């Protein structure tokens, strides 16, 4: 173990000492529930981090259970000892990532660089990725999925997710720094809109609907120029430096004007933005700016609820809600989405038995650990099926894709559909009623 | 670590079994370990012969880090019994993940079997008995006394996946459950038909019923309803020799023969493995009502408890928080708790809505008369929830202070609560420790929690002494070492404090009669010469 690995592991170990091994987190952990061993539980992982720090196991041995963690942080939520699992996980991943880089083949290093530093970290590449999806769909050229370095990102399993995708638009410049005026005379709030790379590449239509909803409740909306990916995928993969790099770019981009809020519509991205403050806590140059950024960050549901969003139409749907883990566990936004959905006339609200169990999407987990992810999804779908809902609402692009995949897998197409909260709200006030046609399932 | 572990084994047993044919004397192994530390690859010459005699066993003797080693043939047999390797764990990361529970220490098993049927358990235990391999039953490892730790290595029998049976028989008012069923799920299932399974350990959302039965767990509701043993009618058990037996039955009344059910309950997995239980359910009280009382003086609070309990009213719960816990909670989550108060009592009444409203009025007056500074009645279920939230937040709140929490459960007769509280206060000052007291005051089962840092050797030394002083105080006052967490390895050193030689010996004789080869959860409950509590790393 080199110094770098040791430092990160030591920090993780310090956090691990907060764990009193009570096991309260076991029933909350999706990987424990599906993989059924203590090794794949929060308590096991925390313990193994200690074991690695004590030198009883190698980083390679540690990487097994750590890689299989979804990072959903449901464990943190139920922990009576305030174990900061999310932070511990990132530190352990960073140590492992350092270690892997030391030992990885140059080719593998190249691929990972492409994926994390270049693809996700650069908006234009992500836009091209949106374009790629478009080519993929249009030409049926599944070959792309088999091309390095995309194979790692899109294994054959992509086909499943692909079926659930929106029509991807041909590549064009999406982040335009454009301004959208409020519906009323004077803006109630001036907000910046955070587009998010996956959201913008894959579900750009939902972004457009979000902006229109914000306008409708009286916001002046600015799609801040030069913004980039939130950095969550990098941070969760142990690429701390890259994550910090993109975070700084975002902080700068959103300082261009004095916004009341920085609004996003992706539970996972929002959580990362909320964590910038923590990310730079030890960096005197950035800590204050980062904290200010995080304070201004808000999920769209919070803003809509705050500004008294009102539905106009009656929607005769039986609706269930699968919250994004990071929205619940990190952003702690729980009540607003439910309140908004239930304010729509005609909607029959059927809560899930275990809404707080992850759906198995978890960033790129469903691509990298396909089988494990499908097992977790299987458990989730059993719960969803039980509600007999015809609409499943989510608040994060990954979850939305996963839900769509789940519906297809269970053969529920036509009887059930998955939508983003924004789509449902938009439909309820007639902004765009075509979403039923656009999404399959 | 290696050496510490060796010492531990040294105290427990003089020989180390390697498979069925090979016995390596303990000192040799110790020597070997020292050699290993000095030089990884050279082996002691006198052991070369042993290696030749049984290479596999020998290898395990080295790799198994001083636990009782298993041969690869034994592992193969286990896999065969388990119908494949899916539920048999032998990888290092897996074994290390079954090496702990919620108490202290790290003891690595050789293999973990995630059993799902009584046949599997019986066959594995038979094999273990034949080959003299230690067997440690394990639920969800939330135990606080080290019961599920495989202190001598060997096989861990994990019953937590075995939760397929949870049957409620409404007419007989019983529940039939598999060992891995989560405690709270039983009560939830009973609730659906208007019944209740009263034992409610705070850990009930994670603990298994087998763990509860083995520890005879209790909880807040036990003030009125009694502990786990009061709700067990019958058991299916695999004895340490691998026989499948049944104890008790489906009836509340049963005096046929010795009461083996009660013997197994609370035996901490040392007399056999519980594979099924028949539990008694009772009608669910239709309503609850809660009160909270604030006291400026801790001893007054103690007297108030006695006043309530002798008034003809039996609350479902009486919980207690001392000043340190009040301050910790208020700090953690401001909710207007009186930080100058020395004690807060929480009381829950249950029963018919009209009856408990009446009772609440009486209790209100009693508390005021006993000197409470403030008494508050929860009028709505939201208010009730908010009230109990304070009590629930004690654990997370105190966890913020220091990473290590030693949670004791020494229990005294009800009348001695004030005296015990006073003794605890003295101990806190005498040893200069961070001591927080809360718990189930109604039944004398307080939880003195010591907050410390495991990594601080000096502090831990003080804590070890303070723990001993707490036990001494409890026993002085006519109490007991443990009200609900069990003895395991954490308290066995103190057993002679509570029992005289012959009382302990009778227990030991029972153990020997059931488990002639001493394979079932060895190293627990019974003290060995020179045993003492060690919390230092
Ligand atoms: C935060 C916290 C709060 C707690 N609160 C309470 C409380 O309020 N009241 C209370 O009483 N306890 C409490 N406990 C202690 C603990 O939860 C209980 O002792 C519980 O019964 C243990 O259940 P388990 O499934 O985790 O068993 P484990 O810890 O896995 O095992 C406990 C014992 O049971 C034995 N065992 C397990 N399965 C079997 C089997 N099939 N057959 C025979 N023996 C078996 C084990 O060998 C061991 O000796 C608490 C613990 C924690 C961490
Ligand atoms: S709930 Fe928290 S303290 Fe308990 S085992 Fe899980 S992480 Fe550790
Ligand atoms: S983050 Fe999610 S998957 Fe990972 S240990 Fe916690 S609960 Fe389990």
């Amino acid at each position: 173990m080199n110094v770098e690995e040791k430092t990160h592991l030591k920090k993780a170990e310090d956090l691990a000492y907060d764990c009193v091994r009570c096991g309260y987190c076991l029933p909350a952990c999706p990987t424990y529930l599906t993989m059924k061993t203590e090794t794949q539980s929060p308590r096991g992982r925390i313990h193994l981090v200690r074991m690695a720090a004590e030198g009883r196991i190698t980083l390679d041995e540690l990487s097994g259970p750590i890689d299989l963690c979804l990072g959903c942080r449901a464990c943190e939520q139920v922990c009576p000892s305030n174990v900061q699992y999310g932070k511990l996980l990132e530190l352990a991943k960073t140590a492992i990532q350092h270690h892997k880089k030391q030992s990885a083949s140059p080719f593998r290093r190249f691929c990972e660089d492409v994926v994390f530093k270049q693809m996700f970290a650069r908006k234009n590449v992500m836009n091209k990725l949106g374009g790629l999806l478009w080519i993929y769909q249009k030409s049926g050229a599944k070959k792309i999925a088999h091309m390095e370095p995309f194979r790692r990102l899109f294994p054959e399993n992509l086909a499943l997710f692909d079926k659930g995708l929106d029509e991807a638009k041909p590549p064009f410049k999406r982040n335009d720094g454009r301004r959208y005026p409020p519906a009323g005379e004077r803006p109630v709030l001036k907000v910046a809109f955070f587009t998010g790379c996956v959201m913008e590449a894959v579900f750009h239509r939902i972004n457009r609907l979000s902006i229109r909803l914000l306008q409708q409740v009286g916001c002046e909306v600015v799609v801040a120029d030069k913004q980039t990916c939130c950095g969550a995928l990098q941070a969760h993969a142990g690429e701390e430096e890259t994550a910090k790099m993109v975070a700084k770019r975002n902080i700068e981009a959103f300082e261009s004007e004095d916004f009341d809020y920085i609004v996003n519509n992706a539970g996972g991205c929002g959580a990362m933005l909320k964590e910038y403050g923590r990310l730079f806590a030890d960096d005197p140059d950035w800590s204050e700016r980062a904290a200010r950024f995080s304070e201004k960050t808000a999920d769209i549901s919070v803003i809509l609820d705050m500004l008294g969003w009102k539905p106009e139409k009656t929607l005769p749907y039986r609706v269930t809600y699968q919250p994004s883990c990071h929205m619940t566990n990190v952003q702690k936004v729980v009540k607003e989405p439910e309140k908004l959905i239930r304010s729509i006339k005609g909607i029959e609200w059927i809560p899930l038995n275990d809404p707080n169990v992850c759906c198995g999407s978890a960033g790129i987990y469903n691509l990298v650990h396909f089988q494990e992810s499908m097992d977790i999804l299987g458990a989730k779908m059993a719960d969803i099926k039980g509600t007999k809902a015809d609409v499943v609402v989510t608040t994060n692009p990954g979850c939305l894709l996963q839900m769509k995949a789940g519906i297809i897998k269970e053969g529920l197409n036509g009887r059930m559909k998955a939508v983003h909260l924004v789509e449902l709200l938009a439909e309820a006030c007639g902004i765009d009623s075509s979403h039923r046609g656009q999404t399959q399932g | 670590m290696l050496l510490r572990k060796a010492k531990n084994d040294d105290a427990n047993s003089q020989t180390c079994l390697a498979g069925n044919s090979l016995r390596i004397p303990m000192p040799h192994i110790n020597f070997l370990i020292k050699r290993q530390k000095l030089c990884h690859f050279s082996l002691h010459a006198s052991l070369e012969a042993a290696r030749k005699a049984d290479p596999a066993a020998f290898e395990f003797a080295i790799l198994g880090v001083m636990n009782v080693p298993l041969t690869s043939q034994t592992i193969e047999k286990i896999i065969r019994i388990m119908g494949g390797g899916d539920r048999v764990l032998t990888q290092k990361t897996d074994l290390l993940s079954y090496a702990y529970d919620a108490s202290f220490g790290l003891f690595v098993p050789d293999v973990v079997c995630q059993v799902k049927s009584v046949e599997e358990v019986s066959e594995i235990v038979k094999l273990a008995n034949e080959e003299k391999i230690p067997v440690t039953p394990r639920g969800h490892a939330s135990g606080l006394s080290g019961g599920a730790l495989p202190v001598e290595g060997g096989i861990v029998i994990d019953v937590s996946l075995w939760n397929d049976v949870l049957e409620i028989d409404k007419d007989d008012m019983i529940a039939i459950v598999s060992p891995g069923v989560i405690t709270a799920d039983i009560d939830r299932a009973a609730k659906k038909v208007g019944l209740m399974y009263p034992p409610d350990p705070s850990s009930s959302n994670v603990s298994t019923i087998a763990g509860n039965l083995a520890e005879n767990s209790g909880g807040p509701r036990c003030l009125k309803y009694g502990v786990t043993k009061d709700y067990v009618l019958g058991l299916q058990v695999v004895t340490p020799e691998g026989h499948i037996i049944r104890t008790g039955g489906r009836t509340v009344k049963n005096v046929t023969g010795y009461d083996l059910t009660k013997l197994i309950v609370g035996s901490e997995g040392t007399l056999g493995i519980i594979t099924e239980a028949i539990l008694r359910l009772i009608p669910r009280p239709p309503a609850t009502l809660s009160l909270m009382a604030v006291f400026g003086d801790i001893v007054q609070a103690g007297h108030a408890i006695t006043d309530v309990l002798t008034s003809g009213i039996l609350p479902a719960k009486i919980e207690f928080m001392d000043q340190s816990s009040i301050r910790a909670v208020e700090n953690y989550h401001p909710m207007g708790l009186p930080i100058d108060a020395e004690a807060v009592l929480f009381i829950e009444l249950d029963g018919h809505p009209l009856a408990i409203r009446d009772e609440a009025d009486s209790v209100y007056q009693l508390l005021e008369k006993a000197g409470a500074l403030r008494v508050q009645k929860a009028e709505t279920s939201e208010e009730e929830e908010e009230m109990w939230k304070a009590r629930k937040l004690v654990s997370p709140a105190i966890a913020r202070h220091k990473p290590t929490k030693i949670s004791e459960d020494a229990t005294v007769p009800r009348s001695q609560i004030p005296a015990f509280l006073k003794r605890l206060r003295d101990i806190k000052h005498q040893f200069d420790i961070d001591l927080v007291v809360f718990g189930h005051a109604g039944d004398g089962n307080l939880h003195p929690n010591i907050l410390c840092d495991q990594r601080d050797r000096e502090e831990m030394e003080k804590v070890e002494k303070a723990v001993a002083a707490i036990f001494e105080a409890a026993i002085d006052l006519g109490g007991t070492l443990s009200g609900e967490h069990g003895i395991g390895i954490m308290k066995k050193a103190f057993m002679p404090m509570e029992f005289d030689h012959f009382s302990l010996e009778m227990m030991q004789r029972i153990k020997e009669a059931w488990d002639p080869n001493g394979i079932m959860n060895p190293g627990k409950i019974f003290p060995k010469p020179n045993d003492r509590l060690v919390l230092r790393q």
Side-chain angles (χ1 to χ4, degrees), chain A residues 28-31 41-42 45 69-75 85:
Chain A
C29 174
T31 59
S41 77
R45 291 180 176 121
C69 168
L70 296 156
C72 69
R73 293 168 67 172
C75 46
Y85 182 80

Side-chain angles (χ1 to χ4, degrees), chain B residues 394-411:
Chain B
V394 176
S395 276
I398 61 176
R400 299 248 291 205
H401 288 269
K402 281 183 176 169
T404 313
K405 192 171 85 174
I406 314 272
S407 177
E408 287 306 340
D409 68 325
T411 303

Side-chain angles (χ1 to χ4, degrees), chain A residues 164-179:
Chain A
L165 279 181
D166 256 4
E167 288 274 297
K169 286 266 162 63
F172 73 101
K173 193 168 181 299
R174 296 200 179 94
N175 271 347
D176 41 13
R178 230 186 287 173
R179 293 175 177 271

Side-chain angles (χ1 to χ4, degrees), chain B residues 362-496:
Chain B
S362 313
V363 172
Y364 194 102
Q365 283 161 15
L366 279 167
L367 292 169
E368 276 197 326
K369 229 166 86 192
L373 300 176
R374 196 176 98 202
V375 188
Q376 201 180 321
K377 211 173 358 171
E379 299 293 345
T380 62
S381 56
E382 287 82 36
E383 272 179 43
E384 191 169 29
E385 208 167 287
E386 183 70 16
M387 210 175 249
W388 283 98
K389 193 169 168 189
R391 169 66 183 84
K392 287 204 179 112
L393 283 176
V394 176
S395 276
I398 61 176
R400 299 248 291 205
H401 288 269
K402 281 183 176 169
T404 313
K405 192 171 85 174
I406 314 272
S407 177
E408 287 306 340
D409 68 325
T411 303
V412 295
R414 242 170 235 166
S415 59
Q416 298 297 332
I417 292 173
F420 191 39
L421 286 170
K422 206 171 148 300
R423 289 281 289 264
L424 289 173
R425 195 159 48 183
D426 296 344
I427 290 170
K428 177 176 174 154
H429 295 307
Q430 186 189 343
F431 296 97
D432 183 28
I433 47 164
D434 215 336
L435 181 72
V436 177
V437 186
F438 58 92
H440 324 307
D443 49 22
N445 184 196
L446 293 173
H447 288 309
N449 272 251
I450 305 175
L451 309 177
C452 45
D453 188 336
Q454 218 180 330
R455 289 160 289 191
D456 183 340
R457 289 181 63 90
E458 233 169 79
E459 184 177 27
M460 293 315 280
E461 211 169 321
K462 276 195 307 196
V463 173
E464 285 161 14
K465 288 188 188 134
V467 168
I470 292 174
F471 290 146
E472 223 164 277
I475 290 174
D476 269 0
L477 296 169
T480 179
L481 295 173
S482 175
E484 55 185 24
H485 297 165
I487 301 303
I489 58 167
M490 292 288 284
K491 292 175 206 149
K492 62 179 182 158
F494 304 100
M495 285 290 272

Side-chain angles (χ1 to χ4, degrees), chain A residues 18-25 42-43 46 75 78-81 83:
Chain A
D18 291 339
C19 171
V20 297
R21 308 195 291 210
C22 64
Y24 278 26
C25 52
R43 180 169 65 171
I46 293 166
C75 46
V78 295
C79 173
S81 301
V83 173

Side-chain angles (χ1 to χ4, degrees), chain B residues 314-347:
Chain B
L314 183 52
K317 310 173 183 170
I318 301 184
E319 295 284 299
F320 166 87
M321 270 165 73
D322 75 348
Q323 191 173 53
S324 315
S325 1
I326 299 169
R327 289 193 172 167
V329 170
E330 191 55 26
N331 226 334
Y332 176 66
H333 182 95
M335 55 200 301
L337 290 178
I339 51 169
D340 290 329
E342 273 198 6
V344 173
L345 293 181
F346 298 92
I347 299 178

